[in-house]
Amino acid sequence: MKICLMGFGSVGQGVARVFQMKRDEIKQEYGLDLDLVAALDRSGAAINPEGLDLKLLLETKKLTGKVSKYPEYGEEGVSGLEVLDRVEYNCLIEVTPTNIEDGEPALSHILKAMGDGKDVVTSNKGPLALKFSELARTARDNGVKFKYEASVGGAMPIINFAHETLSGCKIESIYGILNGTTNYILSRMAKEGSSYEQTLNEAQEMGIAETDPTQDVEGEDAACKVVILANSILKMDVTYVDVEVKGISQITPESISLAKKEGYLIKLIGEVSPDSLEVSPRLVKEGSPFAVEGTLNVATLKTDLADEVTVVGKGAGSIETASAILSDVISIWKTK
Amino acid sequence: MRLKLVLELLDVPGQLLDALNPIGRLGANIVAVIHQRDVKTERGTVPVQITIEGDKDTLNEVLNLIEETGIEIIEVDGILRKEKITTILVGNIVDQDLKDTVNLLNKIEGVMVADLDLKMSDHPEKSASRIVIEAQQGRKKEVLTKIKDIGNLKGFLVINEI
């Protein structure tokens, strides 16, 4: 399978590393050859129809910060759409940074690939949160596969889990902790009694929170995931603006200690149900499935037949997220 | 038929007698009374388990009469009549008139504020209060929405149960 990788940040490099680690195993088990023919970052691209050397690609990125410096096959300034036009490939992996204003450049990349009859795997929440129905329709119209397990909960299985493992069940609602950064901050605040600002600083120093933490702490990232789950699992037709969003920046040590006195923890919860799409700080019982610490994600799916099913997993991380992408690639391969 | 009730009594002398009185008067039998004074509810009241026996109409009358005397029936045959809802508000709780907030909550039909805990912060706008509300069974969702409305009205961050 010839693969085009758009985006070579943390997730993109994770994909390259996972391909490197698992290549032989996957070839043996599934007869699938993972051939990375193009990789793109802000600087440009590395393109080799015979397949890029993953080790060299990762080293080049590490040393120069640019895939376009890849020896012989690197090209500076080439755009994503240009790469998709020039390269012969079967599957696009779109992992450029999430943009919740207009979903670009990922939206154009994905639509172009689908239009050209290519399968698409993505972790990018922007296009999914803004244009879910258009993407699903375009995939259907062009007869291509479109998978996005990594967009919600990183390594925590949820989308394919709901579609495949729970097939036959009607999913009535989903409640979950869908953002690892905020869960880390709230867990630390509960443990240390520290202020929000202090804890955010600590998380930033540890690389758990971004320099501009808005998307995480104001609930925007979790809201994107709520939209994705609502569309893909509850079969609703909604976008980002339909979600009521409240973040954690107003949470105080006082409120956490009051909650604790009554046996509760405060968590940023995403709620997906036919009558409510919401991201807000909520009280959860200590000792309940939602009482997970650190950067873990968790989701409880309420179903008609299986009652409640809860999944937990690492919500972020380069290799962890790449694992979900790899599983999407393999499942596409299995249908061929 | 038999009914197992859990009543909520004030921890003062004579309360149990007041609760039992109507039962005998209306011709129902008292089968068992379990009274543990050291187990207390949120509001400092004592739950008492009573099993009574009689025909359906008499038992209904008994329930009405007990409630008329102002004694709360929490449970009938294992089914809760009330549920407890906890919520936390963050904001300028005192400046926004705490009494008014409680009144607004109490005005919601079938709702009563049972407990309130306040924690002031160095920054008054970051004070927090935990409010425990008792509501009629099955109305939780509606009550949570109303609490959120009150919070929005007063500029509080509302942290509701899941």
Side-chain angles (χ1 to χ4, degrees):
Chain A
M1 189 189 265
K2 288 188 188 303
I3 291 163
C4 221
L5 179 62
M6 299 268 146
F8 209 65
S10 160
V11 178
Q13 290 173 53
V15 170
R17 242 176 261 129
V18 165
F19 277 14
Q20 201 182 6
M21 281 156 61
K22 293 278 178 174
R23 181 175 252 163
D24 296 342
E25 219 174 289
I26 285 163
K27 167 88 180 142
Q28 213 171 12
E29 182 129 346
Y30 306 102
L32 164 61
D33 260 322
L34 293 168
D35 253 338
L36 192 64
V37 291
L40 177 109
D41 67 7
R42 257 179 251 269
S43 74
I47 305 167
N48 182 354
E50 304 300 316
L52 294 163
D53 180 331
L54 295 171
K55 194 166 163 240
L56 184 58
L57 182 67
L58 285 162
E59 263 169 18
T60 309
K61 179 74 182 181
K62 199 175 164 194
L63 285 175
T64 67
K66 297 172 177 177
V67 294
S68 57
K69 297 279 187 210
Y70 186 91
E72 202 177 332
Y73 299 101
E75 285 182 44
E76 214 159 311
V78 60
S79 79
L81 293 177
E82 220 179 311
V83 172
L84 294 181
D85 256 335
R86 276 172 41 195
V87 177
E88 218 179 279
Y89 68 104
N90 312 105
C91 178
L92 166 68
I93 298 180
E94 207 330 316
V95 294
T96 56
T98 289
N99 164 354
I100 52 171
E101 300 297 320
D102 60 8
E104 295 297 355
L107 184 61
S108 302
H109 292 164
I110 294 174
L111 288 173
K112 160 129 188 78
M114 287 175 174
D116 293 341
K118 316 294 184 189
D119 299 318
V120 176
V121 173
T122 187
S123 63
N124 201 315
K125 293 172 288 284
L128 289 160
L130 297 168
K131 303 271 180 185
F132 190 94
S133 53
E134 184 184 341
L135 291 168
R137 197 180 50 241
T138 311
R140 216 174 25 245
D141 291 351
N142 289 287
V144 299
K145 299 273 183 244
F146 179 41
K147 312 260 305 169
Y148 40 85
E149 177 67 52
S151 65
V152 181
M156 172 183 79
I158 180 157
I159 293 165
N160 298 334
F161 178 73
H163 286 155
E164 280 150 40
T165 313
L166 292 176
S167 48
C169 283
K170 180 174 189 273
I171 314 284
E172 290 159 350
S173 68
I174 303 171
Y175 286 85
I177 296 174
L178 304 173
N179 180 276
T181 305
T182 50
N183 198 45
Y184 176 83
I185 294 173
L186 293 174
S187 306
R188 290 289 292 172
M189 284 176 75
K191 229 183 201 145
E192 309 295 328
S194 48
S195 75
Y196 165 74
E197 290 79 11
Q198 244 173 336
T199 320
L200 172 62
N201 279 339
E202 180 199 270
Q204 282 170 325
E205 271 161 29
M206 291 179 66
I208 290 172
E210 316 240 355
T211 329
D212 175 8
T214 316
Q215 279 197 9
D216 291 321
V217 300
E218 293 308 335
E220 294 166 4
D221 171 75
C224 286
K225 292 161 179 171
V226 161
V227 174
I228 297 170
L229 296 177
N231 282 291
S232 85
I233 300 181
L234 269 76
K235 310 287 174 219
M236 296 162 77
D237 184 6
V238 293
T239 73
Y240 186 78
V241 294
D242 299 310
V243 190
E244 202 185 318
V245 192
K246 276 235 162 66
I248 64 160
S249 55
Q250 279 175 276
I251 301 291
T252 58
E254 288 82 11
S255 52
I256 289 179
S257 81
L258 278 179
K260 252 187 176 171
K261 255 165 112 180
E262 188 87 351
Y264 286 103
L265 297 166
I266 298 177
K267 298 286 186 190
L268 186 68
I269 300 287
E271 174 180 350
V272 188
S273 71
D275 43 45
S276 172
L277 294 178
E278 186 181 333
V279 172
S280 60
R282 304 282 277 265
L283 298 171
V284 306
K285 275 270 175 215
E286 272 175 351
S288 76
F290 293 105
V292 296
E293 292 196 353
T295 57
L296 281 177
N297 280 201
V298 57
T300 293
L301 298 89
K302 175 113 181 79
T303 75
D304 57 348
L305 301 177
D307 199 14
E308 286 186 355
V309 182
T310 300
V311 285
V312 188
K314 289 246 168 87
S318 163
I319 298 289
E320 289 85 349
T321 307
S323 80
I325 291 173
L326 178 66
S327 92
D328 275 348
V329 171
I330 294 173
S331 79
I332 289 176
W333 171 252
K334 283 184 183 164
T335 63
K336 301 284 165 190
Chain B
M1 67 183 278
R2 271 186 187 187
L3 270 188
K4 217 170 102 183
L5 310 177
V6 179
L7 309 182
E8 209 180 283
L9 301 184
L10 295 176
D11 193 13
V12 293
Q15 272 277 302
L16 182 60
L17 202 62
D18 286 349
L20 298 179
N21 232 331
I23 303 174
R25 206 152 24 114
L26 290 170
N29 287 323
I30 298 170
V31 182
V33 179
I34 303 172
H35 184 208
Q36 285 175 289
R37 276 196 50 207
D38 47 350
V39 182
K40 298 223 169 140
T41 66
E42 196 66 50
R43 288 183 288 159
T45 55
V46 184
V48 179
Q49 273 186 47
I50 300 179
T51 308
I52 54 175
E53 199 173 46
D55 61 69
K56 203 177 162 199
D57 291 342
T58 310
L59 292 182
N60 274 338
E61 261 183 79
V62 169
L63 293 188
N64 288 336
L65 204 57
I66 291 176
E67 275 182 330
E68 268 173 35
T69 58
I71 291 166
E72 291 276 359
I73 303 172
I74 321 177
E75 224 179 281
V76 178
D77 269 353
I79 297 166
L80 280 176
R81 286 200 150 188
K82 290 213 156 158
E83 61 186 324
K84 214 174 80 174
I85 300 170
T86 304
T87 190
I88 288 181
L89 307 176
V90 181
N92 212 331
I93 310 281
V94 177
D95 257 20
Q96 282 293 324
D97 196 349
L98 184 57
K99 197 171 152 201
D100 180 55
T101 306
V102 173
N103 281 341
L104 284 174
L105 289 168
N106 278 334
K107 265 191 208 149
I108 304 172
E109 206 196 317
V111 162
M112 206 186 82
V113 174
D115 189 29
L116 191 145
D117 203 344
L118 184 64
K119 209 157 181 140
M120 300 302 291
S121 158
D122 297 341
H123 310 274
E125 73 284 0
K126 285 185 173 178
S127 297
S129 90
R130 185 189 65 223
I131 299 177
V132 180
I133 288 161
E134 284 178 359
Q136 279 165 15
Q137 194 65 33
R139 299 198 44 209
K140 189 166 179 174
K141 216 169 174 144
E142 182 194 338
V143 172
L144 289 179
T145 313
K146 291 228 166 109
I147 295 174
K148 225 162 51 179
D149 291 345
I150 294 173
N152 287 340
L153 186 75
K154 297 207 159 213
F156 298 151
L157 170 71
V158 178
I159 309 172
N160 271 330
E161 282 173 52
I162 220 170

